[in-house]
Amino acid sequence: MKKLLLGIVCLCLIVCGVSLLMPGCDEATGLIALIIEPAYVDLTPGSNIVEFVISTNSRGSELGLPLTWIVTDPSLGRIVGSGGYNATYVRFGANGMNTIIARDQYDNEGFATVRQMAEQYGLVLTATPAVIPGGSTLSTITVERNSTVDGEDATAPFTWVTLYPDVGIIIAGQGSDTVVYRSSKGGVNVVQCTDAYGVTGSVVVEQE
């Protein structure tokens, strides 16, 4: 009988100990406000890329990585790369308001706002083809001026860069309105073109 009572007491102690440990995970669910920096961004004419990072004030909490990054209006821009506490946003639309949401595995969330200012004119980039294999494959990218004034061309010389050089690079045409891009491996890359007046346009190249 004593052994039976002792066993029951031990079992109760184990159950109590487990119950004390479990709420720690539940308490983190949806209760931590993630702080995104910068929290508010004005993308003025000529700027179209933002690097977001979760503040160190949020990192001290028990966050569940990896983070999921969401944009509320994909027609204005998208997240083209993320890892750890960082994400890169690229603007597409000429103007408007976009909300960026970061969410961890416990459904804790943070928000940031991007206001995209209107430009007098914009640069429209076209990649042909826009989807290519990942290894040593070429795509031709052209730039045109998107303006309300007929007959105006984009303003040379043009500066071309890739957001992720390890994924692909410009191999020909630097300074002109048409370049040749070569992929290095699979993934997503962003090709960016800036004209003589600092106006910038971007195009995404998908590499399978």
Side-chain angles (χ1 to χ4, degrees):
M1 187 67 178
K2 290 183 179 180
K3 291 183 178 180
L4 178 60
L5 290 175
L6 181 61
I8 294 173
V9 170
C10 291
L11 180 61
C12 291
L13 290 175
I14 293 172
V15 172
C16 290
V18 172
S19 64
L20 288 174
L21 294 174
M22 291 181 63
C25 295
D26 294 335
E27 289 175 0
T29 303
L31 298 181
I32 301 171
L34 306 186
I35 302 172
I36 303 178
E37 297 178 345
Y40 186 92
V41 180
D42 274 338
L43 287 183
T44 56
S47 61
N48 66 343
I49 294 178
V50 183
E51 297 286 345
F52 288 109
V53 62
I54 299 298
S55 166
T56 54
N57 293 331
S58 297
R59 294 184 215 173
S61 305
E62 292 298 327
L63 301 185
L65 296 178
L67 300 175
T68 299
W69 294 84
I70 303 164
V71 295
T72 56
D73 191 343
S75 68
L76 293 178
R78 64 179 279 191
I79 299 295
V80 297
S82 63
Y85 299 102
N86 301 72
T88 302
Y89 172 85
V90 173
R91 157 190 181 167
F92 294 148
N95 55 14
M97 300 286 288
N98 216 346
T99 300
I100 312 302
I101 304 171
R103 180 182 299 143
D104 77 354
Q105 298 301 305
Y106 298 130
D107 290 330
N108 300 303
E109 293 184 339
F111 302 87
T113 301
V114 178
R115 183 175 69 165
Q116 301 176 186
M117 312 288 285
E119 299 179 351
Q120 292 182 344
Y121 69 93
L123 299 183
V124 179
L125 276 60
T126 303
T128 307
V131 180
I132 59 177
S136 298
T137 305
L138 304 181
S139 178
T140 301
I141 303 176
T142 59
V143 59
E144 295 181 351
R145 177 169 171 160
N146 180 18
S147 175
T148 57
V149 180
D150 293 335
E152 289 191 358
D153 295 326
T155 307
F158 301 99
T159 302
W160 296 80
V161 297
T162 58
L163 189 59
Y164 304 112
D166 61 320
V167 176
I169 59 173
I170 302 298
I171 62 171
Q174 188 65 253
S176 70
D177 62 357
T178 302
V179 296
V180 178
Y181 169 86
R182 183 178 65 198
S183 65
S184 301
K185 59 184 180 180
V188 176
N189 210 344
V190 178
V191 178
Q192 183 175 355
C193 178
T194 304
D195 78 353
Y197 293 108
V199 177
T200 301
S202 299
V203 67
V204 172
V205 180
E206 306 275 358
Q207 298 171 194
E208 300 178 336

